[in-house]
Amino acid sequence: MKMKSFAAALILSGIAQLAAAANPLSVHVLNLQDGLPSAQVDVTLEKQAGKQWVALASGTTNADGRIPALFPEGERFDKGIYRVTFKTGAWFAARKTDSFFPEVPVVFVVDGKVAHYHIPLLISPFGFSTYRGN
């Protein structure tokens, strides 16, 4: 019976990974202070429209520090300027750790040259780093 449950879990995991792979945007947060994934970080996604930002989606990182599918399902990921904002101050505060940055906004350009964009964020209480992942 346990083997059937394990097989079912593998199948469901594979299906979830395929669904996430179809999504054009993922994020990942790692805490450099302890070298672990940062679970429960709130993240928002916006698109620039003229001089304003339009909210598109939000989510919270999972136990692996990831949101594998941040872009709204069924919507077109059009070319443009987007902003992913990581709510790092609240995350550190919940862990009773002082931090300098209340949030980390990452503004990036979608040029349509690739099908998937990945935004990793490495954080510590007083610094951060990000780059274009894949």
Side-chain angles (χ1 to χ4, degrees):
M1 186 71 163
K2 289 183 180 179
M3 188 59 121
K4 284 185 179 180
S5 297
F6 180 70
L10 283 175
I11 290 168
L12 290 175
S13 174
I15 290 169
Q17 287 178 357
L18 285 174
N23 192 283
L25 181 63
S26 59
V27 299
H28 190 193
V29 184
L30 294 168
N31 182 357
L32 292 173
Q33 187 175 13
D34 59 16
L36 297 174
S38 300
Q40 303 301 312
V41 176
D42 291 327
V43 181
T44 60
L45 171 65
E46 302 164 288
K47 183 176 184 190
Q48 191 174 50
K51 293 183 179 183
Q52 297 192 4
W53 291 97
V54 177
L56 298 178
S58 63
T60 302
T61 57
N62 63 21
D64 291 328
R66 297 176 182 272
I67 301 176
L70 183 57
F71 196 77
E73 190 174 323
E75 298 291 323
R76 288 177 37 116
F77 198 37
D78 293 327
K79 293 179 183 179
I81 299 175
Y82 291 81
R83 177 170 64 192
V84 171
T85 303
F86 299 88
K87 308 298 183 173
T88 53
W91 186 84
F92 278 114
R95 285 145 188 83
K96 299 183 181 2
T97 300
D98 292 335
S99 65
F100 185 67
F101 301 101
E103 59 185 27
V104 176
V106 178
V107 179
F108 62 101
V109 175
V110 169
D111 57 12
K113 293 180 181 175
V114 296
H116 183 82
Y117 293 78
H118 181 66
I119 311 292
L121 178 68
L122 307 174
I123 59 171
S124 72
F126 300 99
F128 66 88
S129 179
T130 187
Y131 56 94
R132 180 179 175 173
N134 60 20

